[in-house]
Amino acid sequence: FSDGTMNVATLVGTDADSDLAVVKVDPTGYNFVPVRRGNLDEVAVGQRVAAIGNPFGLEGTLTAGIVSAIGRSIPARASFSIPASIQTDAPINPGNSGGPLLNEKGEVIGVNAQIRSDERANSGVGFAIPIPIVERVVPALIADGGYQHPYIGISGGTLSPICAAELQLDPALRGALVLNVLRNTPADRAGLVAGTQATDPLYPEICPSVRGGDLITAINEAPVGSFDDVLAYLQRYTSPGDTVNLTVLREGQYYAIPVALTARPNN
């Protein structure tokens, strides 16, 4: 601890898909003060933040910066992502992981997690797991030792106006393109349709190589502007067993499709 005292912790639970774990210590003889939790909806680009951690083993180091982006998806286990993550230029280095990212009021808005760098050192692009995901996962880890993420069974991308003509869509449309529907998943059982008609995109780094799939424009009436919006909504507001209503555009017609979510598979 910050006063130099030490204690032995026991592992309570882990969740690889959110990159979070809970450890427990005996509080006897300590005057612990819980952190205050912030609100992700109040986080804005340009807001000042501070990160606390043990970079390179240097315990109790604090670095400062700003929120440089919000709503990022960062890699998790296998092909899954952690959505709605916070990007910051506060120096995040190996050893900062697990420490809090604090707003100007000293409230925790995220847990430091990753850096974007070719040399495993700070390059001004660090990421924190957002507090809403922490608030959902941690109680389950304490109660059950694990956490079940909601699962829909699609992969996709964000519709860019640059791609609209090639996809035969209105450039003013926004939404999440369904590019692949995995077999025997909630999306498959609900009848979501993936693109199958091959295209030769002028900008392959942005535009998909198939068209004809569903375009998700809303989830439970919440507008969808990107594929990350779908992931973030599922992680923040749903659980396995819930049913979400997707609004999709298919061949020029809008459809309301209910999808019964299951737990994310282990492989």
Side-chain angles (χ1 to χ4, degrees):
F1 301 104
S2 59
D3 62 359
T5 58
M6 302 181 69
N7 203 328
V8 176
T10 57
L11 181 64
V12 174
T14 65
D15 178 51
D17 285 354
S18 61
D19 199 18
L20 292 171
V22 171
V23 295
K24 180 181 180 180
V25 298
D26 182 355
T28 303
Y30 292 90
N31 183 26
F32 291 145
V33 178
V35 296
R36 299 191 307 274
R37 290 173 284 179
N39 184 349
L40 184 65
D41 294 331
E42 297 176 355
V43 176
V45 173
Q47 189 177 63
R48 291 192 298 176
V49 291
I52 297 177
N54 301 337
F56 307 112
L58 302 173
E59 298 179 2
T61 297
L62 183 146
T63 57
I66 63 167
V67 173
S68 51
I70 52 178
R72 298 297 198 203
S73 285
I74 57 178
R77 175 179 63 88
S79 59
F80 299 112
S81 300
I82 303 172
S85 297
I86 302 168
Q87 179 181 317
T88 178
D89 70 349
I92 305 288
N93 285 295
N96 275 107
S97 300
L101 186 70
L102 309 165
N103 63 16
E104 291 177 298
K105 294 184 287 186
E107 298 168 335
V108 178
I109 57 174
V111 174
N112 304 322
Q114 299 179 12
I115 57 174
R116 184 67 54 84
S117 172
D118 294 331
E119 300 177 355
R120 293 192 74 248
N122 171 60
S123 58
V125 183
F127 301 97
I129 302 160
I131 191 64
I133 291 181
V134 177
E135 291 176 323
R136 288 180 68 88
V137 172
V138 165
L141 295 183
I142 294 171
D144 306 317
Y147 180 78
Q148 290 189 325
H149 292 260
Y151 180 65
I152 192 170
I154 62 174
S155 60
T158 298
L159 174 62
S160 169
I162 295 175
C163 313
E166 296 171 349
L167 300 176
Q168 299 177 350
L169 295 171
D170 185 341
L173 286 170
R174 297 292 181 269
L177 294 163
V178 179
L179 302 179
N180 188 28
V181 177
L182 301 180
R183 294 181 59 187
N184 300 318
T185 63
D188 186 28
R189 290 187 284 270
L192 287 182
V193 175
T196 57
Q197 305 168 35
T199 65
D200 185 17
L202 183 61
Y203 301 99
E205 68 279 6
I206 298 175
C207 303
S209 57
V210 292
R211 65 169 177 255
D214 288 339
L215 177 71
I216 302 173
T217 60
I219 178 169
N220 285 350
E221 300 185 353
V224 169
S226 67
F227 190 74
D228 284 351
D229 288 346
V230 176
L231 301 180
Y233 188 95
L234 293 176
Q235 287 289 76
R236 290 189 65 176
Y237 303 115
T238 70
S239 301
D242 292 348
T243 295
V244 295
N245 292 299
L246 301 181
T247 302
V248 305
L249 177 64
R250 180 187 299 167
E251 297 180 350
Q253 298 291 324
Y254 284 95
Y255 299 90
I257 300 179
V259 182
L261 305 174
T262 60
R264 183 179 292 178
N266 291 326
N267 54 33

